[in-house]
Structures are given as C-alpha cells and as structure tokens.
Amino acid sequence: EVQLVESGGGLVQPGGSLRLSCAASGFTFSGYSMVWVRQAPGKGLEWVAFIGRSTTAMYYADSVKGRFTISRDTVRNSLNLQMNSLKDEDTAVYYCARDEGAKGFDYWGQGTLVAVSS
Amino acid sequence: SFELTQPPSVSVSPGQTARITCSGDALPKLYTYWYQQKPGQAPVLVIYKDSERPSGIPERFSGSSSGTIVTLIISAVQAEDEADYYCQSADTTGTSFVFGTGTKVTVL
C-alpha cells in the first residue's frame, strides 16, 4: 500500500526556517518524481515544488523560488522541503504527492501545517 | 505562468448531473487532471489525461475536453460527491504546474 506521511510542520516566526519531510513507503521511491503542494487556510491548492526521479530536475513556483529547496533521500525514502526566509503568506497545510507523470498526482499525504506568525 | 479558471460553485440535486468547467488558453496543448477534496482531507485524483479514470474511482466521474475548456462531469450525483474540485495542468515546458481556482459542489 502506497503511503506518504509528512512531518516537520509547526509555528515559526517570519524570517525563520523550517524543514518538512515526507516518508514514502509501499512503492519504489526512486522511480517516481515527487511534488509539494500547499493550501493556505480557506484557500485553493498551490503547487510549490517538483523534483525528478534523478534529482537533476527541480522546479519551483515563483512564490517560493530562492527561498525553498526540495530534495530527496533515496536511502531513507524521504522527500524534503527546506523552507527559509518564511513569510506570513507561507502559512498553509503542505502536502507531498507522488507524480505519476501523465497519470497525475496519484497519491497524497495527509499534510502538515506550517504557521508563520510573530 | 498561465491560469486555469473555474466557477466558484455548482449546485446539483441528487441523481442529477454536475458539470464543472475549467478554462485556460493553453489547455488545447496540455493534459488536464481533476482532484476532489473533502473538508479536512487530502485531495484525491479522480480524472487524469482529460478523461481517464483511475482505478477505484466510480464510473459516474468522467471528463471531456473541447478547445480551451475542459469539463468534469459527475453523473447521477450522490451526497458523498459534495466536495471541492480542482483542475490542474502543467505548462508546455513541463517545469511549472498550476491548479484551477476550485469549485465547490453542493448537493441540494
């Protein structure tokens, strides 16, 4: 059974940093691209970052470019998101999802809440 | 970047058909995906490649595409279909993804 479990969320002050992780199991992690998607309270879904199977391809939404870094650890089967210089508007539930290419984001975690506030 | 526009809300009676549109200038060149999200839950993929249905998704969910508009169709709507629905696509370079503005489906 495919499982994605996010962790690392919490309350952080503006300008601070946080590192999210997503533990993957039930599939060959190294064989899939992965994404982070976020959802601000009461708002819609927003794609945040993408990492390819080989890690040579990493793409970011303009809203986080230069502040967030996506990475993956194929030994620990873990997807990560390093978030620096956090802003109030980064407050959201962050989801990791498996990218099945032409078949879309087919599995999602339950999300982890990041709250940026002083 | 490009945008995908959806109606904010759609209301439908049980047993009727709900149609949710998603419009975007670049859609004729791109595949579109649809996700269902119920309150407090993660999104679930219900349609991929415009009209394909993942395993486990009921047959009453279907998709169509015509020019710059793609449509999610829910036939014989049930109370459990009440949720937010989002379309999603990627840009032509495959380096950016975008979600639609979302549609709240209310079952009367």
Side-chain angles (χ1 to χ4, degrees), chain A residues 35 37 39 43-47 50 59-62 95 99 101-106 108-111, chain B residues 1 31 33 35 37 40-45 48-49 84 86 88 93-101:
Chain A
V35 296
V37 174
Q39 186 170 36
K43 302 297 184 181
L45 301 174
E46 179 188 16
W47 167 73
F50 164 97
Y59 311 124
Y60 300 92
D62 288 343
Y95 297 100
D99 182 358
K103 293 189 175 182
F105 304 154
D106 61 346
W108 297 62
Q110 283 304 303
Chain B
S1 62
Y31 284 131
Y33 306 82
Y35 301 87
Q37 187 182 34
Q41 297 184 20
V44 173
L45 178 69
Y48 67 93
K49 287 174 67 175
D84 293 326
Y86 295 90
Q88 177 257 313
T93 65
T95 62
S96 178
F97 302 86
V98 66
F99 286 91
T101 49

Side-chain angles (χ1 to χ4, degrees), chain A residues 67-79:
Chain A
R67 300 187 299 122
F68 289 13
T69 302
I70 190 171
S71 64
R72 63 192 301 162
D73 183 335
T74 53
V75 173
R76 294 183 174 84
N77 286 349
S78 175
L79 175 72

Side-chain angles (χ1 to χ4, degrees), chain A residues 38 46-48 60-65 67-68 87 90:
Chain A
R38 69 184 180 183
E46 179 188 16
W47 167 73
V48 172
Y60 300 92
D62 288 343
S63 57
V64 307
K65 202 171 295 183
R67 300 187 299 122
F68 289 13
K87 307 175 181 180
D90 295 318

